[in-house]
Amino acid sequence: MASQTKLVALDLYKSIRRLHRHLPPAMRSLGNTYVTGEFRRHASAEPQYLPPFISSWQAYHDDLAAQLLTRQFGKPMLPEQVTRMREEQVGQLFELYQGIKGIGKDGGGEGIAGTARGS
């Protein structure tokens, strides 16, 4: 990453991690693992990939900040969002889905979906 872009990304990463502190423990753990991995993988990305990466994570940051106010987490994914994904991204989404299902089983609750709706 270029030095200015690195600073923007680092500030965004830190801010997202601060927001995660307000999530339920299972969601916080999953979110921290995912965001840390994504930012590490993009640390050496080609410059043309950085603006959309930062833009997407900024949108996540803003959505999460709004969701923390209402304690209503998550939003539906539109079919066109999935069709625009690369095969690798679909695989990551499936891994995330499996992780979320595992939280529901391990935590004895309904998983993130049940927690998100205040159940």
Side-chain angles (χ1 to χ4, degrees):
M1 288 188 207
S3 61
Q4 182 61 29
T5 307
K6 275 188 177 184
L7 291 176
V8 169
L10 183 59
D11 286 344
L12 180 58
Y13 170 77
K14 288 178 181 179
S15 186
I16 290 170
R17 290 291 303 253
R18 279 192 298 274
L19 287 174
H20 282 180
R21 292 179 192 161
H22 302 286
L23 291 171
M27 291 176 73
R28 180 176 51 244
S29 175
L30 182 64
N32 285 344
T33 300
Y34 190 78
V35 74
T36 299
E38 283 294 300
F39 274 78
R40 282 187 180 154
R41 278 188 287 282
H42 283 78
S44 59
E46 296 293 324
Q48 71 266 24
Y49 297 114
L50 298 178
F53 174 79
I54 291 172
S55 177
S56 294
W57 280 102
Q58 185 64 54
Y60 168 78
H61 173 278
D62 297 345
D63 286 346
L64 182 58
Q67 292 171 12
L68 283 168
L69 293 174
T70 63
R71 304 301 290 174
Q72 296 287 317
F73 302 114
K75 63 181 183 179
M77 188 167 213
L78 302 173
E80 55 267 15
Q81 291 174 305
V82 177
T83 58
R84 287 193 312 250
M85 291 180 163
R86 295 185 319 270
E87 187 174 325
E88 176 186 345
Q89 291 172 313
V90 173
Q92 289 175 331
L93 183 62
F94 184 69
E95 288 176 22
L96 183 61
Y97 168 74
Q98 289 178 318
I100 291 168
K101 282 179 55 178
I103 288 172
K105 291 177 186 172
D106 296 342
E110 298 177 55
I112 289 177
T115 304
R117 304 292 176 228
S119 300

